[in-house]
Amino acid sequence: MIYISRDAHFCAAHKLYNEKWSKEKNEEVFGACANENWHGHNFDMTVTVKGRVDPETGFVMNFKDLNRIIKEEIHDKVDHKNLNLDVDFMKGKLASCENLVMEFWAILAPKIHEVTSGKASLHCIKLKETNKNYAEYYGE
Amino acid sequence: MIYISRDAHFCAAHKLYNEKWSKEKNEEVFGACANENWHGHNFDMTVTVKGRVDPETGFVMNFKDLNRIIKEEIHDKVDHKNLNLDVDFMKGKLASCENLVMEFWAILAPKIHEVTSGKASLHCIKLKETNKNYAEYYGE
Amino acid sequence: MIYISRDAHFCAAHKLYNEKWSKEKNEEVFGACANENWHGHNFDMTVTVKGRVDPETGFVMNFKDLNRIIKEEIHDKVDHKNLNLDVDFMKGKLASCENLVMEFWAILAPKIHEVTSGKASLHCIKLKETNKNYAEYYGE
Amino acid sequence: MIYISRDAHFCAAHKLYNEKWSKEKNEEVFGACANENWHGHNFDMTVTVKGRVDPETGFVMNFKDLNRIIKEEIHDKVDHKNLNLDVDFMKGKLASCENLVMEFWAILAPKIHEVTSGKASLHCIKLKETNKNYAEYYGE
Amino acid sequence: MIYISRDAHFCAAHKLYNEKWSKEKNEEVFGACANENWHGHNFDMTVTVKGRVDPETGFVMNFKDLNRIIKEEIHDKVDHKNLNLDVDFMKGKLASCENLVMEFWAILAPKIHEVTSGKASLHCIKLKETNKNYAEYYGE
Amino acid sequence: MIYISRDAHFCAAHKLYNEKWSKEKNEEVFGACANENWHGHNFDMTVTVKGRVDPETGFVMNFKDLNRIIKEEIHDKVDHKNLNLDVDFMKGKLASCENLVMEFWAILAPKIHEVTSGKASLHCIKLKETNKNYAEYYGE
């Protein structure tokens, strides 16, 4: 079993705000992240796929395919967007790093399975919000 | 003459949008950066100050003072903010990297002069919007 | 289960020196790291916590709390310090990366359990001494 | 159990080309990586070793020994080389990241066992081909 | 005057070899870089352009245009190529960082002048061959 | 005129302490940097040399020579050392970044002139103490 990883980057606006709470409680819990006028980040994303190496190609999965899937399924839907307002799969959810990686997983896992005919599978998604904070999800 | 530099980081939302233009023209010129619902970045800022070394301290300027000025005069006004909506000195201006560094200069240059009693002066402000794009200003 | 990570940095002096050995044996085993007058590093530390996502906050654990714990329990005790002389929990221990991460674990694990009421737990501490060397500990 | 890691870097040329296929099929599968005149990379390699901490040294394994093994067994055989033409253990194999980490494992695992008298063992080899692509192998 | 910079990356093979010299002299001067079977790098390139800020756009030059010029005029001609064999403008020249930045300058300077109608001009090209070595050229 | 740069790294202990002042004044001016038991850093140093390109080599100066000079004249005298106690050329001087780059200049400038027979000259020394602070010196 070999693990291959591909990085992607996107720039987006968001805020952390629970609509069921008062403005005061949001600011208490989320601090500056609750700013009603939004803030934003350069998000760094790493997608890790595992599988056996195909002796014909030396690949677990062609990086070109992995790159295309990440671009079409995630990057183009979140880059230069507002994660709370513009992204279908985040509607009604808190736009935290944790929720983002779980939603990304739900989209990428079946797609990677399909494109590789089940020979490779999604292993981990890592999402870095700043140089200091990140979340990782292994699908369970 | 020695040059010292201090880095700072802030996370903010913005859009590039000229209110005098149609939505179509904004999208043509600014592309995805014109998204009406905003996007955002982790901005990396480097402030460079020049001066002679004080033999008593070995310093051009105390890094603690430089850090405090950057934090109070810039960081706290832009971090976790919307650069178009929340920042007084950007009102009515396009929130491009170029305009940001020039506004930062106008704020920091006199402050650094004042705190160092004219012994040190601002040399350059560099502002990095993404890992690939940045702007620098030397005050003229 | 989601894993969240927070980075911290500290600057410290140390030496690798086993008091039970001769100076020659120390230099043979530890090389330049045994220099009696100390050397130092910018240490980069990553603390990873695991848990389920709270639907109210979208968080495994509030990054503000994690940040505060790391700062109060570790950073403020080791930053700009001598790891051999100034740090209580390293007294009588070799100040290697390996021993440091195990001591950090002993301090942070119960604290994270307490602050999150057992909803999240420490998963890994990574400590980077230079751009080339680091140690990781998973608690067992 | 503690995990220690050591980074190494090498610069090498390679191409991805399956000699059993036509030029067209190679270009279809490997894209620009199939360029017959080669291309190259700065490869970043991380070798992770696991074991218990020796109380006499505070070490899982002396970084000097780990560094020497990586240098002699891998670095000096691949740095400033053509991975397809100059490297004995890659002869007849596709010079993909995946195949490289598996070959590196076969060389380093017994050597680390030998030098540490079985007290430490190879845990992972990570090989980064570009800022965006990497492979990891855990030996099985 | 504001300076804006854009980064680009390419992966290429090359060797440093003066055809007028013996193999021995090439190895003496260029060391491992003279390996006849090539080696390669991930090159990091920074292109800096200077000019006044256009009040309509807030830009010295549209980053989209700068990006397109770098891609078409440089990146696509050198990425996944052999700098000695595949690149027209390097024919008969030593493929050192120094010569590369001077050739890149000769291509980019008139193109940037043309695309910006002379409002902006090329200021510097920086080319990084490894994490430790780079060259910069300011056009004279 | 082309500028070439070479990076080097060293790990050292130091403190900022003016012996003519009280302990209180040192702590007021230098803060935690005045800790009497030292602290330390991974210093990153960039040495930039300028000159014309030699058509025989494509080099301003052979990187091997530049590397050797930096190693012998600076790195080996400061790496894994105490900058206040172990380094001859820092005796009696405040071990600030500013003073370090000026002392490094005094050593490297004549050596580079000598080794290149005056064909290349030292242009800049940059010294980075942490990820946030650095000093640069251009020799005057």
Side-chain angles (χ1 to χ4, degrees):
Chain A
M1 193 71 75
I2 295 267
Y3 301 78
I4 61 163
S5 297
R6 173 82 189 173
D7 284 0
H9 307 283
F10 60 93
C11 304
H14 78 151
K15 67 179 165 189
L16 297 178
Y17 205 92
N18 186 331
E19 298 291 345
K20 294 183 289 183
W21 293 347
S22 67
K23 190 176 171 183
E24 288 67 30
K25 178 149 188 205
N26 272 292
E27 285 173 355
E28 185 198 321
V29 174
F30 297 119
C33 299
N35 176 29
E36 61 185 339
N37 284 332
W38 322 99
H39 66 284
H41 298 289
N42 302 331
F43 289 88
D44 297 325
M45 181 185 176
T46 303
V47 177
T48 303
V49 169
K50 67 183 167 191
R52 305 230 159 259
V53 174
D54 181 330
E56 296 290 300
T57 60
F59 285 164
V60 164
M61 176 183 178
N62 198 320
F63 272 119
K64 283 193 300 180
D65 293 329
L66 181 53
N67 195 30
R68 181 179 46 77
I69 293 170
I70 297 170
K71 180 172 166 24
E72 289 174 5
E73 304 293 328
I74 306 290
H75 179 273
D76 292 355
K77 293 173 181 164
V78 294
D79 186 45
H80 284 79
K81 293 289 193 305
N82 184 308
L83 299 174
N84 301 67
L85 300 180
D86 297 328
V87 179
D88 279 354
F89 58 80
M90 292 305 295
K91 287 283 162 62
K93 301 190 185 89
L94 276 154
S96 67
C97 251
E98 289 92 327
N99 283 341
L100 284 162
V101 288
M102 288 195 293
E103 296 302 320
F104 291 174
W105 183 281
I107 293 167
L108 290 179
K111 202 77 195 175
I112 287 166
H113 185 89
E114 175 197 327
V115 167
T116 63
S117 307
K119 286 179 187 160
S121 58
L122 183 56
H123 173 65
C124 180
I125 299 178
K126 177 176 171 178
L127 186 64
K128 214 169 168 177
E129 201 176 66
T130 70
N131 274 340
K132 294 200 158 183
N133 293 351
Y134 59 90
E136 287 162 295
Y137 187 50
Y138 295 82
E140 55 187 36
Chain B
M1 192 71 74
I2 294 268
Y3 300 78
I4 62 163
S5 297
R6 174 79 190 176
D7 283 0
H9 307 282
F10 61 92
C11 305
H14 79 151
K15 67 178 165 190
L16 297 179
Y17 205 92
N18 186 332
E19 298 292 345
K20 294 181 288 183
W21 294 346
S22 67
K23 190 175 171 184
E24 288 68 30
K25 177 147 190 207
N26 272 291
E27 285 172 355
E28 185 197 319
V29 172
F30 296 120
C33 298
N35 176 30
E36 62 186 337
N37 285 331
W38 322 97
H39 66 284
H41 298 289
N42 303 332
F43 289 88
D44 297 327
M45 181 183 175
T46 303
V47 177
T48 303
V49 169
K50 67 182 169 193
R52 306 230 159 257
V53 174
D54 180 331
E56 295 291 299
T57 60
F59 285 163
V60 165
M61 175 184 178
N62 198 321
F63 272 120
K64 284 193 300 179
D65 293 328
L66 180 54
N67 195 30
R68 182 179 45 77
I69 293 171
I70 298 170
K71 180 171 164 24
E72 289 175 5
E73 303 294 328
I74 306 289
H75 179 274
D76 291 356
K77 295 173 181 165
V78 292
D79 186 45
H80 284 78
K81 293 291 193 305
N82 184 309
L83 299 175
N84 302 66
L85 301 180
D86 297 329
V87 179
D88 279 354
F89 57 80
M90 292 306 295
K91 286 283 163 62
K93 301 192 186 89
L94 277 154
S96 66
C97 252
E98 288 93 328
N99 282 340
L100 285 162
V101 287
M102 289 194 293
E103 296 302 320
F104 291 174
W105 183 281
I107 293 167
L108 290 179
K111 202 77 195 174
I112 287 165
H113 184 90
E114 173 197 329
V115 168
T116 64
S117 307
K119 286 180 186 159
S121 58
L122 183 56
H123 173 66
C124 181
I125 299 178
K126 176 176 171 178
L127 185 64
K128 212 169 169 179
E129 200 176 67
T130 71
N131 274 338
K132 293 199 159 184
N133 293 351
Y134 59 89
E136 286 162 296
Y137 187 50
Y138 294 82
E140 54 187 38
Chain C
M1 194 69 75
I2 295 267
Y3 300 78
I4 61 163
S5 296
R6 174 82 190 173
D7 284 0
H9 307 282
F10 60 92
C11 305
H14 79 150
K15 68 179 165 188
L16 297 179
Y17 205 92
N18 186 330
E19 299 291 345
K20 294 182 288 182
W21 294 347
S22 68
K23 190 175 172 185
E24 288 68 30
K25 178 146 189 207
N26 272 292
E27 286 172 352
E28 184 198 321
V29 173
F30 296 119
C33 299
N35 176 28
E36 63 185 338
N37 283 332
W38 323 98
H39 66 284
H41 299 289
N42 302 331
F43 290 88
D44 297 327
M45 180 184 177
T46 303
V47 177
T48 303
V49 169
K50 67 182 169 191
R52 306 230 159 257
V53 174
D54 181 329
E56 296 291 300
T57 60
F59 285 163
V60 165
M61 176 183 179
N62 198 321
F63 272 119
K64 283 193 300 181
D65 293 329
L66 181 52
N67 195 29
R68 182 179 44 78
I69 293 170
I70 297 171
K71 180 172 165 22
E72 288 174 6
E73 302 294 327
I74 306 291
H75 179 274
D76 291 355
K77 294 174 181 165
V78 293
D79 186 46
H80 284 78
K81 293 290 192 306
N82 184 309
L83 299 175
N84 302 66
L85 300 180
D86 296 329
V87 179
D88 279 353
F89 57 80
M90 292 305 296
K91 286 283 162 61
K93 302 191 185 86
L94 276 154
S96 66
C97 251
E98 289 93 328
N99 282 341
L100 284 162
V101 288
M102 289 195 294
E103 295 303 320
F104 291 174
W105 184 281
I107 293 167
L108 290 179
K111 201 77 195 173
I112 287 165
H113 185 90
E114 175 197 329
V115 167
T116 64
S117 307
K119 287 179 186 159
S121 58
L122 182 56
H123 173 66
C124 181
I125 299 177
K126 177 176 171 177
L127 186 64
K128 214 169 167 177
E129 202 177 65
T130 70
N131 273 339
K132 294 200 158 183
N133 293 352
Y134 60 89
E136 287 163 296
Y137 187 51
Y138 294 82
E140 56 187 36
Chain D
M1 194 71 76
I2 295 267
Y3 300 77
I4 60 162
S5 296
R6 173 81 189 173
D7 284 359
H9 307 283
F10 61 91
C11 305
H14 79 150
K15 67 178 165 189
L16 297 179
Y17 205 92
N18 185 331
E19 298 290 346
K20 293 182 289 183
W21 295 347
S22 67
K23 190 176 171 183
E24 288 69 29
K25 179 148 189 207
N26 272 292
E27 286 173 353
E28 184 198 322
V29 173
F30 296 120
C33 298
N35 176 28
E36 62 186 338
N37 283 332
W38 322 98
H39 65 285
H41 298 290
N42 302 331
F43 290 89
D44 296 326
M45 181 184 176
T46 303
V47 177
T48 303
V49 169
K50 67 182 168 192
R52 305 229 160 259
V53 174
D54 181 331
E56 296 291 299
T57 60
F59 285 163
V60 165
M61 175 182 179
N62 198 322
F63 272 120
K64 284 194 300 180
D65 293 330
L66 180 53
N67 195 29
R68 182 179 45 77
I69 292 171
I70 297 170
K71 181 172 165 21
E72 289 174 5
E73 303 294 327
I74 306 290
H75 179 274
D76 292 355
K77 293 173 181 165
V78 294
D79 185 46
H80 284 78
K81 293 290 193 305
N82 184 309
L83 299 175
N84 301 67
L85 300 179
D86 297 329
V87 179
D88 279 355
F89 57 79
M90 292 306 296
K91 287 283 162 62
K93 302 191 185 88
L94 276 154
S96 67
C97 251
E98 289 93 327
N99 282 341
L100 284 162
V101 286
M102 288 196 293
E103 295 303 320
F104 292 173
W105 183 282
I107 292 167
L108 290 179
K111 201 76 196 174
I112 287 166
H113 185 89
E114 175 197 327
V115 167
T116 63
S117 308
K119 286 179 187 160
S121 58
L122 183 55
H123 173 66
C124 180
I125 299 178
K126 176 176 172 178
L127 185 63
K128 215 169 167 178
E129 201 176 66
T130 70
N131 273 339
K132 293 199 158 184
N133 293 350
Y134 59 89
E136 287 162 295
Y137 187 50
Y138 294 83
E140 54 186 39
Chain E
M1 193 72 73
I2 295 268
Y3 301 78
I4 61 163
S5 296
R6 173 80 189 175
D7 283 1
H9 307 284
F10 60 92
C11 304
H14 78 151
K15 67 178 165 190
L16 297 179
Y17 205 92
N18 185 332
E19 297 292 345
K20 293 182 288 184
W21 294 346
S22 68
K23 191 176 172 183
E24 288 67 29
K25 176 145 190 208
N26 273 291
E27 286 172 353
E28 185 197 321
V29 173
F30 296 119
C33 299
N35 176 29
E36 61 185 338
N37 284 332
W38 322 97
H39 66 285
H41 299 290
N42 303 331
F43 290 88
D44 297 326
M45 180 183 176
T46 303
V47 177
T48 303
V49 169
K50 67 182 168 192
R52 304 231 159 258
V53 175
D54 181 331
E56 296 291 299
T57 60
F59 285 164
V60 164
M61 175 183 178
N62 199 321
F63 272 120
K64 284 194 300 180
D65 293 328
L66 180 54
N67 196 29
R68 181 179 47 75
I69 293 171
I70 297 171
K71 181 173 164 21
E72 289 175 5
E73 303 294 329
I74 306 290
H75 179 274
D76 292 355
K77 294 174 181 164
V78 295
D79 186 46
H80 284 79
K81 293 291 192 304
N82 184 309
L83 299 175
N84 302 67
L85 299 180
D86 296 330
V87 180
D88 279 354
F89 57 80
M90 291 306 295
K91 287 283 162 60
K93 303 191 184 86
L94 276 155
S96 66
C97 253
E98 288 92 329
N99 282 340
L100 285 162
V101 288
M102 289 194 294
E103 296 301 321
F104 292 173
W105 184 282
I107 293 168
L108 290 178
K111 201 77 195 176
I112 288 166
H113 185 89
E114 174 197 328
V115 167
T116 64
S117 307
K119 286 180 188 159
S121 58
L122 182 56
H123 174 66
C124 180
I125 300 178
K126 177 176 172 177
L127 185 63
K128 213 169 168 178
E129 200 176 67
T130 70
N131 274 338
K132 294 200 159 183
N133 293 351
Y134 60 88
E136 287 162 295
Y137 187 49
Y138 294 82
E140 55 187 37
Chain F
M1 193 72 73
I2 295 268
Y3 300 78
I4 62 163
S5 296
R6 173 80 189 175
D7 284 0
H9 308 282
F10 60 91
C11 304
H14 78 152
K15 67 178 164 190
L16 297 179
Y17 205 91
N18 185 331
E19 298 292 345
K20 293 182 288 184
W21 295 346
S22 67
K23 190 176 172 183
E24 288 68 31
K25 176 146 190 208
N26 273 291
E27 286 172 353
E28 185 198 321
V29 173
F30 296 120
C33 299
N35 175 28
E36 63 185 337
N37 285 331
W38 322 96
H39 66 285
H41 299 290
N42 302 332
F43 290 89
D44 297 326
M45 180 185 176
T46 303
V47 178
T48 303
V49 169
K50 67 182 169 193
R52 306 230 159 258
V53 175
D54 181 330
E56 296 291 299
T57 60
F59 284 164
V60 164
M61 175 183 178
N62 198 321
F63 271 120
K64 285 194 299 180
D65 293 329
L66 181 53
N67 195 29
R68 181 179 46 76
I69 292 171
I70 297 170
K71 181 173 167 18
E72 289 175 5
E73 302 294 328
I74 305 290
H75 179 273
D76 292 355
K77 293 174 182 166
V78 293
D79 187 44
H80 284 78
K81 293 291 193 302
N82 184 309
L83 299 174
N84 302 67
L85 300 180
D86 296 330
V87 179
D88 280 353
F89 57 80
M90 292 306 295
K91 287 282 162 63
K93 302 190 185 88
L94 276 155
S96 66
C97 253
E98 288 93 327
N99 282 340
L100 284 162
V101 288
M102 288 194 294
E103 295 303 319
F104 291 175
W105 183 282
I107 293 167
L108 290 179
K111 202 75 195 173
I112 287 166
H113 185 89
E114 173 197 329
V115 167
T116 63
S117 307
K119 287 179 187 159
S121 58
L122 183 55
H123 173 66
C124 180
I125 299 178
K126 177 176 171 178
L127 186 64
K128 214 170 167 177
E129 200 176 67
T130 71
N131 274 338
K132 294 199 157 182
N133 293 352
Y134 59 89
E136 287 162 295
Y137 187 49
Y138 294 82
E140 55 188 38

PDB file of all heavy atoms in Angstrom, chain D residues 78-94:
ATOM      1  N   VAL D  78      21.762   9.020  -5.853  1.00  0.00           N
ATOM      2  CA  VAL D  78      20.727   9.643  -6.690  1.00  0.00           C
ATOM      3  C   VAL D  78      20.939  11.139  -6.943  1.00  0.00           C
ATOM      4  O   VAL D  78      20.387  11.685  -7.902  1.00  0.00           O
ATOM      5  CB  VAL D  78      19.305   9.435  -6.088  1.00  0.00           C
ATOM      6  CG1 VAL D  78      18.915   7.965  -6.106  1.00  0.00           C
ATOM      7  CG2 VAL D  78      19.207  10.008  -4.666  1.00  0.00           C
ATOM      8  N   ASP D  79      21.730  11.798  -6.084  1.00  0.00           N
ATOM      9  CA  ASP D  79      21.868  13.254  -6.222  1.00  0.00           C
ATOM     10  C   ASP D  79      22.694  13.620  -7.459  1.00  0.00           C
ATOM     11  O   ASP D  79      23.765  13.057  -7.691  1.00  0.00           O
ATOM     12  CB  ASP D  79      22.540  13.832  -4.961  1.00  0.00           C
ATOM     13  CG  ASP D  79      22.582  15.349  -5.000  1.00  0.00           C
ATOM     14  OD1 ASP D  79      21.561  15.966  -5.334  1.00  0.00           O
ATOM     15  OD2 ASP D  79      23.653  15.921  -4.707  1.00  0.00           O
ATOM     16  N   HIS D  80      22.161  14.572  -8.230  1.00  0.00           N
ATOM     17  CA  HIS D  80      22.804  14.986  -9.482  1.00  0.00           C
ATOM     18  C   HIS D  80      23.003  13.803 -10.421  1.00  0.00           C
ATOM     19  O   HIS D  80      23.999  13.701 -11.122  1.00  0.00           O
ATOM     20  CB  HIS D  80      24.116  15.737  -9.213  1.00  0.00           C
ATOM     21  CG  HIS D  80      23.869  17.147  -8.748  1.00  0.00           C
ATOM     22  ND1 HIS D  80      23.503  17.431  -7.459  1.00  0.00           N
ATOM     23  CD2 HIS D  80      23.886  18.343  -9.410  1.00  0.00           C
ATOM     24  CE1 HIS D  80      23.330  18.750  -7.348  1.00  0.00           C
ATOM     25  NE2 HIS D  80      23.547  19.321  -8.501  1.00  0.00           N
ATOM     26  N   LYS D  81      22.001  12.921 -10.417  1.00  0.00           N
ATOM     27  CA  LYS D  81      22.018  11.748 -11.299  1.00  0.00           C
ATOM     28  C   LYS D  81      20.758  11.724 -12.162  1.00  0.00           C
ATOM     29  O   LYS D  81      19.806  12.461 -11.921  1.00  0.00           O
ATOM     30  CB  LYS D  81      22.054  10.463 -10.438  1.00  0.00           C
ATOM     31  CG  LYS D  81      23.331  10.270  -9.640  1.00  0.00           C
ATOM     32  CD  LYS D  81      24.508   9.947 -10.537  1.00  0.00           C
ATOM     33  CE  LYS D  81      25.726   9.446  -9.766  1.00  0.00           C
ATOM     34  NZ  LYS D  81      26.206  10.318  -8.713  1.00  0.00           N
ATOM     35  N   ASN D  82      20.782  10.830 -13.151  1.00  0.00           N
ATOM     36  CA  ASN D  82      19.597  10.510 -13.945  1.00  0.00           C
ATOM     37  C   ASN D  82      19.008   9.231 -13.357  1.00  0.00           C
ATOM     38  O   ASN D  82      19.659   8.168 -13.393  1.00  0.00           O
ATOM     39  CB  ASN D  82      20.001  10.316 -15.407  1.00  0.00           C
ATOM     40  CG  ASN D  82      18.807  10.082 -16.296  1.00  0.00           C
ATOM     41  OD1 ASN D  82      17.988   9.211 -15.995  1.00  0.00           O
ATOM     42  ND2 ASN D  82      18.707  10.834 -17.378  1.00  0.00           N
ATOM     43  N   LEU D  83      17.811   9.321 -12.815  1.00  0.00           N
ATOM     44  CA  LEU D  83      17.237   8.178 -12.080  1.00  0.00           C
ATOM     45  C   LEU D  83      17.009   6.973 -12.996  1.00  0.00           C
ATOM     46  O   LEU D  83      17.047   5.828 -12.530  1.00  0.00           O
ATOM     47  CB  LEU D  83      15.925   8.591 -11.405  1.00  0.00           C
ATOM     48  CG  LEU D  83      16.045   9.721 -10.374  1.00  0.00           C
ATOM     49  CD1 LEU D  83      14.667  10.133  -9.872  1.00  0.00           C
ATOM     50  CD2 LEU D  83      16.927   9.301  -9.205  1.00  0.00           C
ATOM     51  N   ASN D  84      16.774   7.210 -14.266  1.00  0.00           N
ATOM     52  CA  ASN D  84      16.565   6.089 -15.193  1.00  0.00           C
ATOM     53  C   ASN D  84      17.880   5.461 -15.650  1.00  0.00           C
ATOM     54  O   ASN D  84      17.946   4.248 -15.875  1.00  0.00           O
ATOM     55  CB  ASN D  84      15.813   6.562 -16.450  1.00  0.00           C
ATOM     56  CG  ASN D  84      14.458   7.174 -16.145  1.00  0.00           C
ATOM     57  OD1 ASN D  84      14.385   8.228 -15.537  1.00  0.00           O
ATOM     58  ND2 ASN D  84      13.383   6.504 -16.552  1.00  0.00           N
ATOM     59  N   LEU D  85      18.928   6.286 -15.803  1.00  0.00           N
ATOM     60  CA  LEU D  85      20.174   5.780 -16.412  1.00  0.00           C
ATOM     61  C   LEU D  85      21.280   5.478 -15.415  1.00  0.00           C
ATOM     62  O   LEU D  85      22.090   4.574 -15.642  1.00  0.00           O
ATOM     63  CB  LEU D  85      20.721   6.817 -17.404  1.00  0.00           C
ATOM     64  CG  LEU D  85      19.820   7.206 -18.574  1.00  0.00           C
ATOM     65  CD1 LEU D  85      20.514   8.253 -19.434  1.00  0.00           C
ATOM     66  CD2 LEU D  85      19.454   5.979 -19.406  1.00  0.00           C
ATOM     67  N   ASP D  86      21.358   6.233 -14.324  1.00  0.00           N
ATOM     68  CA  ASP D  86      22.549   6.176 -13.466  1.00  0.00           C
ATOM     69  C   ASP D  86      22.365   5.380 -12.181  1.00  0.00           C
ATOM     70  O   ASP D  86      23.340   5.189 -11.450  1.00  0.00           O
ATOM     71  CB  ASP D  86      22.956   7.601 -13.037  1.00  0.00           C
ATOM     72  CG  ASP D  86      23.364   8.505 -14.197  1.00  0.00           C
ATOM     73  OD1 ASP D  86      23.893   7.986 -15.190  1.00  0.00           O
ATOM     74  OD2 ASP D  86      23.149   9.733 -14.092  1.00  0.00           O
ATOM     75  N   VAL D  87      21.151   4.945 -11.877  1.00  0.00           N
ATOM     76  CA  VAL D  87      20.891   4.392 -10.545  1.00  0.00           C
ATOM     77  C   VAL D  87      20.598   2.890 -10.649  1.00  0.00           C
ATOM     78  O   VAL D  87      19.565   2.479 -11.178  1.00  0.00           O
ATOM     79  CB  VAL D  87      19.705   5.129  -9.879  1.00  0.00           C
ATOM     80  CG1 VAL D  87      19.414   4.550  -8.508  1.00  0.00           C
ATOM     81  CG2 VAL D  87      19.994   6.629  -9.798  1.00  0.00           C
ATOM     82  N   ASP D  88      21.530   2.091 -10.131  1.00  0.00           N
ATOM     83  CA  ASP D  88      21.439   0.630 -10.251  1.00  0.00           C
ATOM     84  C   ASP D  88      20.076   0.080  -9.841  1.00  0.00           C
ATOM     85  O   ASP D  88      19.465  -0.700 -10.559  1.00  0.00           O
ATOM     86  CB  ASP D  88      22.516  -0.036  -9.372  1.00  0.00           C
ATOM     87  CG  ASP D  88      23.862  -0.038 -10.072  1.00  0.00           C
ATOM     88  OD1 ASP D  88      23.920   0.378 -11.257  1.00  0.00           O
ATOM     89  OD2 ASP D  88      24.851  -0.432  -9.434  1.00  0.00           O
ATOM     90  N   PHE D  89      19.589   0.483  -8.670  1.00  0.00           N
ATOM     91  CA  PHE D  89      18.375  -0.150  -8.152  1.00  0.00           C
ATOM     92  C   PHE D  89      17.101   0.315  -8.852  1.00  0.00           C
ATOM     93  O   PHE D  89      16.020  -0.188  -8.544  1.00  0.00           O
ATOM     94  CB  PHE D  89      18.268   0.012  -6.622  1.00  0.00           C
ATOM     95  CG  PHE D  89      18.295   1.435  -6.116  1.00  0.00           C
ATOM     96  CD1 PHE D  89      17.167   2.234  -6.167  1.00  0.00           C
ATOM     97  CD2 PHE D  89      19.455   1.971  -5.577  1.00  0.00           C
ATOM     98  CE1 PHE D  89      17.176   3.529  -5.676  1.00  0.00           C
ATOM     99  CE2 PHE D  89      19.481   3.268  -5.079  1.00  0.00           C
ATOM    100  CZ  PHE D  89      18.345   4.045  -5.133  1.00  0.00           C
ATOM    101  N   MET D  90      17.207   1.260  -9.785  1.00  0.00           N
ATOM    102  CA  MET D  90      16.024   1.685 -10.557  1.00  0.00           C
ATOM    103  C   MET D  90      16.031   1.108 -11.976  1.00  0.00           C
ATOM    104  O   MET D  90      15.082   1.329 -12.729  1.00  0.00           O
ATOM    105  CB  MET D  90      15.927   3.214 -10.610  1.00  0.00           C
ATOM    106  CG  MET D  90      15.614   3.890  -9.291  1.00  0.00           C
ATOM    107  SD  MET D  90      14.103   3.255  -8.472  1.00  0.00           S
ATOM    108  CE  MET D  90      12.826   3.736  -9.658  1.00  0.00           C
ATOM    109  N   LYS D  91      17.080   0.400 -12.331  1.00  0.00           N
ATOM    110  CA  LYS D  91      17.168  -0.172 -13.682  1.00  0.00           C
ATOM    111  C   LYS D  91      15.941  -1.028 -13.995  1.00  0.00           C
ATOM    112  O   LYS D  91      15.571  -1.911 -13.220  1.00  0.00           O
ATOM    113  CB  LYS D  91      18.440  -1.040 -13.808  1.00  0.00           C
ATOM    114  CG  LYS D  91      19.734  -0.256 -13.889  1.00  0.00           C
ATOM    115  CD  LYS D  91      19.976   0.377 -15.270  1.00  0.00           C
ATOM    116  CE  LYS D  91      21.012   1.497 -15.238  1.00  0.00           C
ATOM    117  NZ  LYS D  91      22.343   1.039 -14.810  1.00  0.00           N
ATOM    118  N   GLY D  92      15.316  -0.746 -15.132  1.00  0.00           N
ATOM    119  CA  GLY D  92      14.167  -1.530 -15.571  1.00  0.00           C
ATOM    120  C   GLY D  92      12.871  -1.210 -14.850  1.00  0.00           C
ATOM    121  O   GLY D  92      11.860  -1.882 -15.037  1.00  0.00           O
ATOM    122  N   LYS D  93      12.923  -0.188 -14.011  1.00  0.00           N
ATOM    123  CA  LYS D  93      11.697   0.197 -13.280  1.00  0.00           C
ATOM    124  C   LYS D  93      11.258   1.603 -13.678  1.00  0.00           C
ATOM    125  O   LYS D  93      12.094   2.447 -13.969  1.00  0.00           O
ATOM    126  CB  LYS D  93      11.949   0.167 -11.766  1.00  0.00           C
ATOM    127  CG  LYS D  93      12.407  -1.186 -11.274  1.00  0.00           C
ATOM    128  CD  LYS D  93      12.387  -1.275  -9.762  1.00  0.00           C
ATOM    129  CE  LYS D  93      12.969  -2.604  -9.301  1.00  0.00           C
ATOM    130  NZ  LYS D  93      14.452  -2.588  -9.116  1.00  0.00           N
ATOM    131  N   LEU D  94       9.981   1.861 -13.643  1.00  0.00           N
ATOM    132  CA  LEU D  94       9.469   3.208 -13.882  1.00  0.00           C
ATOM    133  C   LEU D  94       9.900   4.113 -12.732  1.00  0.00           C
ATOM    134  O   LEU D  94       9.701   3.777 -11.559  1.00  0.00           O
ATOM    135  CB  LEU D  94       7.944   3.182 -13.977  1.00  0.00           C
ATOM    136  CG  LEU D  94       7.425   2.818 -15.371  1.00  0.00           C
ATOM    137  CD1 LEU D  94       6.048   2.209 -15.285  1.00  0.00           C
ATOM    138  CD2 LEU D  94       7.410   4.064 -16.257  1.00  0.00           C
TER     139      LEU D  94
END
